[in-house]
Every structure is written in C-alpha cells, then in structure tokens.
Amino acid sequence: MAKALDELVTRLEHCREQGRCAKAVLDVVAARDLSVPIDHETCGELRALAQVFSCEPAELASAILRAACIDLQEHLDDDLDRLAAAAEQLVNDPCVGIASEEL
C-alpha cells in the first residue's frame, strides 16, 4: 500500500481502537470536486469498510481518492526528478553535443 493510503488506514484504525468517530480523519477540504463511477462490487466493499470505520461511504471514498492522488503526486515528483537528472546528464555530455553536430 502506498504511503498516504497506509497513513489514512492507520489513522482510521486508531480512531476505531479508541472508539472515536472517524469523521475528523475523513473531513478534509478538497482542492477540486470530481466524480468516479464505481461498480457494484466496489460499492459493497466501500460500504463494508465504512461500517467498520463508522463513517459514510462517500466520505471514505473521498479520503481514499485524496490519499491515492497524494501518492500519485509523490511518484510523479520522483519521476520528474529522475528525468531532470537524465536531461542534465545529456546536456553536459560532450559526446552528445558532438553527435548532434554531425547529424
């Protein structure tokens, strides 16, 4: 499980262990509103998880999507860093300059 999703589940489990409502964990202001259609099986699993953590299925789904987006962003940042390093290597490589001049 990715880092943000793992942290979300850990916070939800902590709330459940203490007998507290998970609403505070799930209540985060969204930067954007979006909708994602889900199938019946996923909807049932989401309802079951929401019942375990004593929250609304829509709130849980929203929190899961936000955590997944955070993880995606972190991986994109890593990918962009690697691409920038590779581009810098190519720019500073004298062999690349000579080869492109001859082409």
Coordinates of all heavy atoms in Angstrom, one line a residue:
M1 N 0.9 -1.2 0.0 CA 0.0 0.0 0.0 C 0.9 1.2 0.0 O 1.9 1.3 0.7 CB -0.9 0.0 1.2 CG -2.0 1.0 1.2 SD -3.1 1.0 2.6 CE -3.5 -0.7 2.9
A2 N 0.5 2.2 -0.7 CA 1.3 3.5 -0.8 C 1.3 4.2 0.5 O 0.4 4.0 1.4 CB 0.8 4.3 -2.0
K3 N 2.2 5.1 0.7 CA 2.4 5.8 1.9 C 1.2 6.6 2.4 O 0.7 6.4 3.6 CB 3.6 6.8 1.8 CG 3.9 7.6 3.0 CD 5.0 8.5 2.7 CE 5.2 9.5 3.8 NZ 6.2 10.6 3.5
A4 N 0.5 7.4 1.6 CA -0.6 8.2 2.0 C -1.8 7.3 2.4 O -2.5 7.5 3.3 CB -1.0 9.3 1.0
L5 N -2.0 6.3 1.6 CA -3.1 5.3 1.8 C -2.9 4.6 3.1 O -3.8 4.4 3.9 CB -3.3 4.4 0.7 CG -4.0 5.0 -0.6 CD1 -4.0 3.9 -1.7 CD2 -5.4 5.4 -0.3
D6 N -1.6 4.2 3.3 CA -1.2 3.5 4.6 C -1.5 4.4 5.8 O -2.0 3.9 6.8 CB 0.2 3.0 4.5 CG 0.6 2.1 5.6 OD1 -0.2 1.2 6.0 OD2 1.7 2.3 6.2
E7 N -1.1 5.6 5.7 CA -1.3 6.6 6.8 C -2.8 6.8 7.1 O -3.2 6.8 8.2 CB -0.6 7.9 6.5 CG 0.9 7.8 6.6 CD 1.5 9.1 6.1 OE1 0.8 10.1 5.9 OE2 2.8 9.1 6.1
L8 N -3.6 6.8 6.0 CA -5.0 7.0 6.2 C -5.6 5.8 6.9 O -6.4 6.0 7.9 CB -5.7 7.2 4.8 CG -7.3 7.2 4.8 CD1 -7.8 8.4 5.6 CD2 -7.8 7.1 3.4
V9 N -5.3 4.6 6.5 CA -5.8 3.4 7.2 C -5.3 3.4 8.6 O -6.1 3.0 9.5 CB -5.4 2.1 6.4 CG1 -5.8 0.9 7.1 CG2 -6.1 2.1 5.0
T10 N -4.1 3.7 8.9 CA -3.6 3.7 10.2 C -4.4 4.7 11.1 O -4.7 4.4 12.2 CB -2.1 4.1 10.2 OG1 -1.4 3.2 9.4 CG2 -1.5 4.1 11.6
R11 N -4.6 5.9 10.6 CA -5.4 6.9 11.4 C -6.8 6.4 11.6 O -7.4 6.6 12.7 CB -5.4 8.2 10.7 CG -4.1 8.9 10.7 CD -4.1 10.4 10.3 NE -5.0 10.6 9.1 CZ -4.5 10.8 7.9 NH1 -3.2 10.8 7.6 NH2 -5.3 11.1 6.9
L12 N -7.4 5.8 10.6 CA -8.8 5.2 10.7 C -8.8 4.1 11.8 O -9.7 4.1 12.6 CB -9.3 4.7 9.4 CG -9.7 5.7 8.4 CD1 -9.9 5.1 7.0 CD2 -10.9 6.5 8.8
E13 N -7.8 3.2 11.7 CA -7.7 2.1 12.7 C -7.5 2.7 14.1 O -8.1 2.2 15.1 CB -6.6 1.2 12.4 CG -7.0 0.3 11.2 CD -5.8 -0.6 10.7 OE1 -4.7 -0.4 11.2 OE2 -6.1 -1.5 10.0
H14 N -6.7 3.7 14.3 CA -6.5 4.4 15.6 C -7.8 4.9 16.1 O -8.1 4.8 17.3 CB -5.5 5.5 15.4 CG -5.0 6.1 16.7 ND1 -4.3 5.4 17.7 CD2 -5.3 7.3 17.2 CE1 -4.1 6.2 18.7 NE2 -4.7 7.4 18.4
C15 N -8.6 5.6 15.3 CA -9.9 6.1 15.7 C -10.8 5.0 16.2 O -11.5 5.1 17.2 CB -10.6 6.9 14.6 SG -9.8 8.5 14.2
R16 N -10.8 3.9 15.4 CA -11.7 2.8 15.7 C -11.3 2.1 17.1 O -12.1 1.8 17.9 CB -11.6 1.7 14.6 CG -12.6 0.6 14.8 CD -12.5 -0.4 13.8 NE -11.2 -1.0 13.7 CZ -10.9 -2.2 13.3 NH1 -11.8 -3.0 12.8 NH2 -9.7 -2.6 13.3
E17 N -10.0 2.0 17.3 CA -9.5 1.4 18.6 C -9.9 2.3 19.8 O -10.2 1.7 20.8 CB -8.0 1.3 18.5 CG -7.5 0.2 17.6 CD -6.0 0.2 17.4 OE1 -5.3 1.1 18.0 OE2 -5.5 -0.6 16.6
Q18 N -9.9 3.6 19.6 CA -10.3 4.5 20.7 C -11.8 4.7 20.8 O -12.2 5.4 21.6 CB -9.5 5.8 20.5 CG -8.0 5.7 20.6 CD -7.4 7.1 20.5 OE1 -8.0 8.0 20.0 NE2 -6.2 7.2 21.0
G19 N -12.5 4.1 19.8 CA -13.9 4.3 19.9 C -14.4 5.7 19.4 O -15.5 6.1 19.7
R20 N -13.5 6.4 18.7 CA -13.9 7.7 18.3 C -14.4 7.7 16.8 O -14.2 6.7 16.1 CB -12.6 8.6 18.2 CG -12.1 8.9 19.6 CD -10.9 9.9 19.5 NE -9.9 9.5 18.5 CZ -9.2 10.3 17.8 NH1 -9.3 11.6 17.9 NH2 -8.3 9.9 16.9
C21 N -15.2 8.7 16.5 CA -15.7 8.8 15.1 C -14.6 9.2 14.2 O -13.7 10.0 14.5 CB -16.8 9.9 15.1 SG -17.5 10.2 13.5
A22 N -14.6 8.6 13.0 CA -13.5 8.8 12.0 C -13.7 10.0 11.2 O -13.0 10.3 10.3 CB -13.4 7.6 11.1
K23 N -14.8 10.8 11.5 CA -15.1 11.9 10.7 C -14.0 12.9 10.6 O -13.7 13.5 9.6 CB -16.4 12.6 11.2 CG -16.8 13.8 10.4 CD -18.3 13.8 10.2 CE -18.8 15.1 9.5 NZ -18.7 15.0 8.1
A24 N -13.3 13.2 11.7 CA -12.2 14.1 11.7 C -11.1 13.7 10.8 O -10.5 14.6 10.2 CB -11.7 14.3 13.2
V25 N -10.9 12.5 10.7 CA -9.8 12.0 9.8 C -10.2 12.1 8.3 O -9.4 12.5 7.4 CB -9.5 10.5 10.0 CG1 -8.6 9.9 9.0 CG2 -8.9 10.3 11.4
L26 N -11.5 11.9 8.1 CA -12.0 12.0 6.7 C -12.4 13.4 6.2 O -12.5 13.6 5.0 CB -13.3 11.1 6.6 CG -13.0 9.6 6.9 CD1 -14.4 8.9 6.8 CD2 -12.0 9.0 5.9
D27 N -12.6 14.3 7.2 CA -13.0 15.6 6.8 C -11.9 16.5 6.5 O -11.2 17.1 7.3 CB -13.8 16.2 8.0 CG -14.6 17.5 7.6 OD1 -14.8 17.7 6.4 OD2 -14.9 18.3 8.5
V28 N -11.6 16.6 5.2 CA -10.5 17.4 4.6 C -11.1 18.2 3.5 O -11.9 17.7 2.7 CB -9.3 16.6 4.1 CG1 -8.3 17.4 3.5 CG2 -8.8 15.7 5.3
V29 N -10.7 19.5 3.4 CA -11.2 20.3 2.3 C -10.6 19.9 1.0 O -9.4 19.8 0.9 CB -10.9 21.8 2.6 CG1 -11.3 22.7 1.5 CG2 -11.5 22.3 3.9
A30 N -11.4 19.6 0.1 CA -11.0 19.1 -1.2 C -10.6 20.3 -2.1 O -11.2 21.4 -2.1 CB -12.1 18.4 -1.9
A31 N -9.5 20.2 -2.8 CA -9.0 21.2 -3.7 C -9.9 21.3 -5.0 O -10.1 22.3 -5.5 CB -7.6 20.9 -4.1
R32 N -10.4 20.1 -5.4 CA -11.3 20.0 -6.5 C -12.4 19.0 -6.3 O -12.2 18.1 -5.5 CB -10.5 19.5 -7.7 CG -9.4 20.5 -8.1 CD -8.6 20.0 -9.3 NE -7.6 20.9 -9.4 CZ -7.0 21.2 -10.5 NH1 -7.3 20.6 -11.6 NH2 -6.0 22.1 -10.5
D33 N -13.4 19.1 -7.0 CA -14.5 18.1 -6.9 C -14.4 17.3 -8.2 O -14.3 17.8 -9.3 CB -15.9 18.8 -6.8 CG -16.1 19.5 -5.5 OD1 -15.5 19.1 -4.5 OD2 -16.9 20.5 -5.5
L34 N -14.5 16.0 -8.0 CA -14.5 15.1 -9.1 C -15.4 13.9 -8.7 O -15.6 13.6 -7.6 CB -13.1 14.7 -9.6 CG -12.4 13.8 -8.6 CD1 -12.0 12.5 -9.3 CD2 -11.1 14.5 -8.2
S35 N -15.8 13.2 -9.8 CA -16.6 12.0 -9.5 C -16.1 10.9 -10.3 O -15.6 11.0 -11.4 CB -18.1 12.2 -9.9 OG -18.2 12.5 -11.2
V36 N -16.1 9.7 -9.7 CA -15.6 8.5 -10.3 C -16.6 7.4 -10.2 O -17.0 7.1 -9.1 CB -14.3 8.0 -9.7 CG1 -13.8 6.8 -10.3 CG2 -13.2 9.1 -9.7
P37 N -17.1 6.9 -11.3 CA -18.1 5.8 -11.2 C -17.5 4.6 -10.7 O -16.4 4.2 -11.1 CB -18.6 5.7 -12.7 CG -17.6 6.2 -13.5 CD -16.8 7.3 -12.7
I38 N -18.2 3.8 -9.8 CA -17.7 2.6 -9.3 C -18.7 1.5 -9.6 O -19.9 1.7 -9.6 CB -17.3 2.7 -7.8 CG1 -18.5 3.1 -7.0 CG2 -16.1 3.6 -7.6 CD1 -18.2 3.1 -5.5
D39 N -18.2 0.3 -9.7 CA -19.1 -0.9 -9.9 C -19.8 -1.3 -8.6 O -19.4 -0.9 -7.5 CB -18.4 -2.0 -10.6 CG -17.2 -2.6 -9.8 OD1 -17.2 -2.3 -8.5 OD2 -16.3 -3.2 -10.3
H40 N -20.7 -2.3 -8.7 CA -21.5 -2.7 -7.5 C -20.6 -3.4 -6.5 O -20.8 -3.2 -5.3 CB -22.6 -3.6 -8.0 CG -23.7 -2.9 -8.7 ND1 -24.4 -1.9 -8.1 CD2 -24.2 -3.0 -10.0 CE1 -25.3 -1.4 -9.0 NE2 -25.1 -2.1 -10.1
E41 N -19.6 -4.2 -7.0 CA -18.7 -4.9 -6.0 C -17.9 -3.9 -5.2 O -17.8 -4.1 -4.0 CB -17.8 -5.8 -6.8 CG -16.9 -6.6 -5.9 CD -15.9 -7.6 -6.7 OE1 -16.2 -7.8 -7.9 OE2 -15.0 -8.0 -6.1
T42 N -17.3 -2.9 -5.9 CA -16.5 -1.9 -5.2 C -17.4 -1.1 -4.2 O -17.0 -0.8 -3.1 CB -15.9 -1.0 -6.2 OG1 -15.1 -1.7 -7.1 CG2 -15.0 0.0 -5.5
C43 N -18.6 -0.8 -4.6 CA -19.5 -0.1 -3.8 C -19.9 -0.9 -2.5 O -19.9 -0.3 -1.4 CB -20.8 0.2 -4.6 SG -21.9 1.4 -3.8
G44 N -20.1 -2.2 -2.6 CA -20.3 -3.0 -1.5 C -19.1 -3.1 -0.5 O -19.3 -3.0 0.7
E45 N -17.9 -3.2 -1.1 CA -16.7 -3.2 -0.3 C -16.5 -1.9 0.4 O -16.1 -1.8 1.6 CB -15.5 -3.5 -1.2 CG -15.4 -4.9 -1.7 CD -14.3 -5.1 -2.7 OE1 -13.6 -4.1 -3.0 OE2 -14.2 -6.2 -3.2
L46 N -16.9 -0.8 -0.2 CA -16.8 0.5 0.4 C -17.8 0.7 1.5 O -17.4 1.2 2.6 CB -17.0 1.6 -0.7 CG -16.7 3.0 -0.3 CD1 -15.2 3.2 0.1 CD2 -17.0 3.9 -1.5
R47 N -19.0 0.2 1.3 CA -20.0 0.2 2.4 C -19.5 -0.6 3.6 O -19.6 -0.2 4.8 CB -21.3 -0.3 1.9 CG -22.1 0.7 1.2 CD -23.6 0.2 1.1 NE -24.1 0.7 -0.2 CZ -24.4 0.0 -1.2 NH1 -24.3 -1.3 -1.2 NH2 -24.8 0.5 -2.3
A48 N -18.9 -1.8 3.4 CA -18.4 -2.6 4.5 C -17.3 -1.9 5.2 O -17.3 -1.9 6.4 CB -17.9 -3.9 3.9
L49 N -16.3 -1.3 4.5 CA -15.3 -0.6 5.1 C -15.8 0.6 5.9 O -15.3 0.9 7.0 CB -14.2 -0.1 4.1 CG -13.2 -1.1 3.7 CD1 -12.4 -0.5 2.5 CD2 -12.3 -1.4 4.8
A50 N -16.7 1.3 5.4 CA -17.3 2.5 6.0 C -18.0 2.0 7.3 O -17.9 2.7 8.3 CB -18.3 3.2 5.1
Q51 N -18.6 0.9 7.3 CA -19.3 0.4 8.5 C -18.2 0.0 9.6 O -18.4 0.3 10.7 CB -20.1 -0.8 8.2 CG -21.0 -1.3 9.3 CD -22.0 -2.4 8.9 OE1 -21.8 -3.1 7.9 NE2 -23.1 -2.5 9.6
V52 N -17.1 -0.6 9.2 CA -16.1 -0.9 10.1 C -15.5 0.3 10.8 O -15.3 0.4 12.0 CB -14.9 -1.7 9.4 CG1 -13.7 -1.8 10.2 CG2 -15.4 -3.1 9.0
F53 N -15.3 1.4 10.0 CA -14.7 2.6 10.5 C -15.7 3.7 10.9 O -15.4 4.8 11.2 CB -13.8 3.2 9.5 CG -12.6 2.4 9.2 CD1 -12.3 1.9 7.9 CD2 -11.7 2.0 10.2 CE1 -11.2 1.1 7.7 CE2 -10.6 1.3 10.0 CZ -10.3 0.8 8.7
S54 N -17.0 3.3 11.0 CA -18.1 4.2 11.4 C -18.1 5.5 10.7 O -18.0 6.6 11.4 CB -18.0 4.4 12.9 OG -18.1 3.2 13.6
C55 N -18.2 5.5 9.4 CA -18.2 6.7 8.6 C -19.1 6.5 7.4 O -19.6 5.4 7.2 CB -16.8 7.2 8.2 SG -16.0 6.0 7.2
E56 N -19.4 7.6 6.7 CA -20.2 7.5 5.5 C -19.3 7.0 4.3 O -18.2 7.3 4.2 CB -20.7 8.9 5.1 CG -21.7 9.4 6.1 CD -23.0 8.6 6.1 OE1 -23.5 8.2 5.0 OE2 -23.5 8.3 7.2
P57 N -19.9 6.1 3.5 CA -19.1 5.5 2.4 C -18.6 6.6 1.4 O -17.4 6.5 1.0 CB -20.1 4.7 1.6 CG -21.1 4.3 2.7 CD -21.2 5.5 3.6
A58 N -19.3 7.7 1.2 CA -18.9 8.8 0.3 C -17.7 9.5 0.9 O -16.7 9.8 0.2 CB -20.0 9.7 0.0
E59 N -17.7 9.7 2.2 CA -16.6 10.4 2.9 C -15.3 9.5 2.8 O -14.2 10.0 2.6 CB -16.9 10.7 4.3 CG -17.9 11.7 4.5 CD -18.3 11.9 6.0 OE1 -18.2 11.0 6.8 OE2 -18.8 13.0 6.3
L60 N -15.5 8.2 3.0 CA -14.4 7.2 2.9 C -13.8 7.2 1.5 O -12.6 7.2 1.3 CB -14.8 5.9 3.4 CG -13.7 4.8 3.4 CD1 -12.5 5.2 4.3 CD2 -14.3 3.4 3.8
A61 N -14.7 7.1 0.5 CA -14.2 7.1 -0.9 C -13.5 8.3 -1.2 O -12.4 8.3 -1.9 CB -15.4 6.9 -1.8
S62 N -13.9 9.5 -0.7 CA -13.3 10.7 -1.0 C -11.9 10.8 -0.4 O -10.9 11.2 -1.0 CB -14.1 11.9 -0.5 OG -13.5 13.1 -0.7
A63 N -11.8 10.3 0.9 CA -10.5 10.2 1.6 C -9.5 9.3 0.9 O -8.3 9.6 0.7 CB -10.7 9.8 3.0
I64 N -10.0 8.2 0.4 CA -9.2 7.2 -0.3 C -8.7 7.8 -1.6 O -7.5 7.7 -2.0 CB -9.9 5.9 -0.6 CG1 -10.2 5.1 0.7 CG2 -9.2 5.0 -1.6 CD1 -11.1 4.0 0.6
L65 N -9.5 8.5 -2.3 CA -9.1 9.1 -3.6 C -8.1 10.2 -3.3 O -7.1 10.3 -4.1 CB -10.3 9.7 -4.3 CG -11.2 8.7 -5.0 CD1 -12.4 9.4 -5.6 CD2 -10.5 8.0 -6.2
R66 N -8.3 11.0 -2.3 CA -7.3 12.1 -2.0 C -5.9 11.4 -1.6 O -4.9 11.9 -2.1 CB -7.8 12.9 -0.8 CG -8.8 14.0 -1.2 CD -9.0 15.0 -0.1 NE -9.4 14.5 1.1 CZ -10.6 14.1 1.5 NH1 -11.6 14.4 0.7 NH2 -10.9 13.6 2.7
A67 N -5.9 10.4 -0.8 CA -4.7 9.7 -0.5 C -4.0 9.1 -1.7 O -2.8 9.2 -1.8 CB -4.9 8.7 0.6
A68 N -4.8 8.6 -2.6 CA -4.2 8.0 -3.8 C -3.6 9.1 -4.7 O -2.6 8.9 -5.3 CB -5.3 7.2 -4.6
C69 N -4.3 10.2 -4.8 CA -3.7 11.4 -5.5 C -2.5 11.9 -4.9 O -1.5 12.3 -5.7 CB -4.8 12.5 -5.6 SG -6.1 12.1 -6.7
I70 N -2.4 11.9 -3.6 CA -1.1 12.3 -2.9 C 0.0 11.4 -3.3 O 1.1 11.8 -3.6 CB -1.3 12.4 -1.4 CG1 -2.2 13.6 -1.1 CG2 0.0 12.6 -0.7 CD1 -2.7 13.6 0.4
D71 N -0.3 10.1 -3.2 CA 0.7 9.1 -3.6 C 1.2 9.2 -5.1 O 2.3 9.2 -5.4 CB 0.2 7.7 -3.3 CG 0.2 7.3 -1.9 OD1 1.0 7.9 -1.1 OD2 -0.6 6.5 -1.5
L72 N 0.2 9.5 -5.9 CA 0.5 9.6 -7.3 C 1.4 10.8 -7.5 O 2.4 10.8 -8.3 CB -0.8 9.8 -8.1 CG -0.7 10.0 -9.6 CD1 0.0 8.8 -10.3 CD2 -2.1 10.2 -10.2
Q73 N 1.1 11.9 -6.9 CA 1.9 13.2 -7.0 C 3.3 12.9 -6.5 O 4.2 13.4 -7.1 CB 1.2 14.3 -6.1 CG 2.0 15.6 -6.2 CD 2.1 16.2 -7.6 OE1 1.1 16.2 -8.3 NE2 3.2 16.7 -8.0
E74 N 3.5 12.2 -5.4 CA 4.8 11.9 -4.9 C 5.6 11.1 -5.9 O 6.8 11.4 -6.1 CB 4.7 11.2 -3.6 CG 4.3 12.0 -2.4 CD 4.1 11.3 -1.1 OE1 4.3 10.0 -1.1 OE2 3.7 11.9 -0.1
H75 N 5.0 10.1 -6.6 CA 5.7 9.3 -7.6 C 6.0 10.2 -8.8 O 7.0 10.0 -9.4 CB 4.8 8.1 -7.9 CG 4.8 7.1 -6.8 ND1 5.9 6.4 -6.4 CD2 3.7 6.6 -6.1 CE1 5.5 5.6 -5.4 NE2 4.2 5.7 -5.2
L76 N 5.1 11.1 -9.2 CA 5.4 11.9 -10.3 C 6.5 12.9 -10.0 O 7.4 13.1 -10.9 CB 4.1 12.8 -10.6 CG 3.0 12.0 -11.3 CD1 1.8 13.0 -11.5 CD2 3.4 11.5 -12.7
D77 N 6.6 13.4 -8.8 CA 7.8 14.2 -8.4 C 9.1 13.4 -8.5 O 10.1 13.9 -9.0 CB 7.6 14.7 -7.0 CG 6.5 15.8 -6.8 OD1 6.1 16.3 -7.9 OD2 6.1 16.0 -5.7
D78 N 9.1 12.1 -8.1 CA 10.3 11.3 -8.2 C 10.6 11.1 -9.7 O 11.8 11.2 -10.1 CB 10.0 9.9 -7.5 CG 9.9 10.0 -6.0 OD1 10.3 11.1 -5.5 OD2 9.4 9.1 -5.4
D79 N 9.6 10.8 -10.5 CA 9.8 10.6 -11.9 C 10.4 11.9 -12.6 O 11.3 11.8 -13.4 CB 8.6 10.2 -12.6 CG 8.1 8.8 -12.2 OD1 8.9 8.0 -11.7 OD2 6.9 8.5 -12.5
L80 N 9.8 13.0 -12.2 CA 10.3 14.3 -12.8 C 11.8 14.5 -12.4 O 12.6 15.0 -13.2 CB 9.4 15.4 -12.4 CG 8.1 15.4 -13.1 CD1 7.2 16.5 -12.5 CD2 8.2 15.6 -14.6
D81 N 12.1 14.2 -11.1 CA 13.5 14.4 -10.7 C 14.4 13.5 -11.5 O 15.5 14.0 -11.9 CB 13.6 14.1 -9.2 CG 13.0 15.1 -8.3 OD1 12.7 16.2 -8.8 OD2 12.7 14.8 -7.1
R82 N 14.0 12.3 -11.7 CA 14.9 11.4 -12.5 C 15.0 11.9 -13.9 O 16.1 11.8 -14.5 CB 14.3 10.0 -12.5 CG 14.7 9.2 -11.2 CD 14.4 7.7 -11.3 NE 13.0 7.4 -11.5 CZ 12.1 7.2 -10.6 NH1 12.5 7.4 -9.3 NH2 10.9 6.9 -10.8
L83 N 14.0 12.3 -14.5 CA 14.0 12.8 -15.9 C 14.9 14.1 -16.0 O 15.7 14.3 -16.9 CB 12.6 13.2 -16.4 CG 11.7 12.0 -16.8 CD1 10.3 12.4 -17.1 CD2 12.3 11.3 -18.0
A84 N 14.8 15.0 -15.0 CA 15.6 16.2 -15.0 C 17.1 15.8 -14.8 O 18.0 16.4 -15.5 CB 15.2 17.1 -13.8
A85 N 17.4 14.8 -14.0 CA 18.8 14.4 -13.8 C 19.3 13.8 -15.1 O 20.5 14.1 -15.5 CB 18.9 13.4 -12.7
A86 N 18.5 13.0 -15.8 CA 18.9 12.4 -17.1 C 19.1 13.5 -18.1 O 20.1 13.4 -18.9 CB 17.9 11.4 -17.5
A87 N 18.2 14.4 -18.2 CA 18.4 15.5 -19.1 C 19.6 16.3 -18.9 O 20.4 16.7 -19.8 CB 17.1 16.4 -19.1
E88 N 19.9 16.6 -17.6 CA 21.1 17.3 -17.3 C 22.4 16.6 -17.7 O 23.3 17.2 -18.2 CB 21.2 17.6 -15.7 CG 22.3 18.5 -15.3 CD 22.3 18.8 -13.8 OE1 21.4 18.2 -13.1 OE2 23.2 19.5 -13.4
Q89 N 22.4 15.3 -17.5 CA 23.5 14.4 -17.9 C 23.7 14.5 -19.4 O 24.8 14.7 -19.9 CB 23.3 13.0 -17.5 CG 24.0 12.5 -16.3 CD 23.7 11.0 -16.1 OE1 22.8 10.5 -16.6 NE2 24.6 10.4 -15.4
L90 N 22.6 14.5 -20.1 CA 22.7 14.6 -21.6 C 23.2 15.9 -22.1 O 24.0 16.0 -23.0 CB 21.4 14.2 -22.3 CG 20.9 12.8 -22.2 CD1 19.5 12.6 -22.7 CD2 21.9 11.9 -22.9
V91 N 22.8 17.0 -21.4 CA 23.2 18.3 -21.8 C 24.7 18.5 -21.5 O 25.4 19.1 -22.3 CB 22.3 19.4 -21.0 CG1 22.9 20.7 -21.1 CG2 20.9 19.4 -21.5
N92 N 25.2 17.9 -20.4 CA 26.6 18.1 -20.1 C 27.5 17.1 -20.7 O 28.7 17.2 -20.5 CB 26.7 18.1 -18.5 CG 26.0 19.2 -17.9 OD1 25.9 20.3 -18.4 ND2 25.5 19.0 -16.7
D93 N 27.0 16.1 -21.4 CA 27.8 15.1 -22.0 C 28.4 15.6 -23.3 O 27.6 15.9 -24.3 CB 26.9 13.8 -22.3 CG 27.7 12.6 -22.7 OD1 28.9 12.8 -23.0 OD2 27.1 11.5 -22.8
P94 N 29.7 15.7 -23.4 CA 30.3 16.2 -24.7 C 30.0 15.3 -25.9 O 30.0 15.8 -27.0 CB 31.8 16.3 -24.4 CG 32.0 15.4 -23.2 CD 30.7 15.3 -22.4
C95 N 29.9 14.0 -25.7 CA 29.6 13.1 -26.8 C 28.3 13.4 -27.4 O 28.2 13.2 -28.7 CB 29.7 11.6 -26.3 SG 31.3 11.1 -25.7
V96 N 27.3 13.7 -26.7 CA 26.0 14.0 -27.2 C 26.1 15.3 -28.1 O 25.5 15.3 -29.2 CB 25.0 14.2 -26.1 CG1 23.6 14.7 -26.6 CG2 24.8 12.9 -25.3
G97 N 26.8 16.3 -27.6 CA 27.0 17.5 -28.4 C 27.7 17.3 -29.8 O 27.2 17.8 -30.8
I98 N 28.7 16.4 -29.8 CA 29.4 16.1 -31.0 C 28.5 15.3 -31.9 O 28.5 15.6 -33.1 CB 30.7 15.4 -30.7 CG1 31.7 16.2 -29.9 CG2 31.4 14.8 -31.9 CD1 32.9 15.5 -29.3
A99 N 27.8 14.4 -31.4 CA 27.0 13.5 -32.3 C 25.9 14.4 -32.9 O 25.5 14.2 -34.1 CB 26.4 12.4 -31.4
S100 N 25.3 15.3 -32.1 CA 24.2 16.1 -32.7 C 24.7 17.1 -33.7 O 24.0 17.4 -34.7 CB 23.4 16.8 -31.6 OG 24.3 17.7 -30.9
E101 N 26.0 17.5 -33.6 CA 26.5 18.5 -34.6 C 26.8 17.7 -35.9 O 26.6 18.3 -37.0 CB 27.8 19.0 -34.0 CG 27.7 20.0 -32.9 CD 29.0 20.5 -32.3 OE1 30.0 20.1 -32.8 OE2 28.9 21.2 -31.3
E102 N 27.2 16.5 -35.8 CA 27.5 15.7 -37.0 C 26.2 15.3 -37.8 O 26.3 15.1 -39.0 CB 28.4 14.5 -36.7 CG 29.8 14.9 -36.3 CD 30.6 13.7 -36.0 OE1 30.2 12.6 -36.4 OE2 31.7 13.9 -35.4
L103 N 25.1 15.2 -37.0 CA 23.9 14.8 -37.7 C 23.4 15.9 -38.4 O 22.9 16.0 -39.5 CB 22.8 14.3 -36.6 CG 23.1 13.0 -36.0 CD1 22.1 12.8 -34.9 CD2 23.0 11.9 -37.0

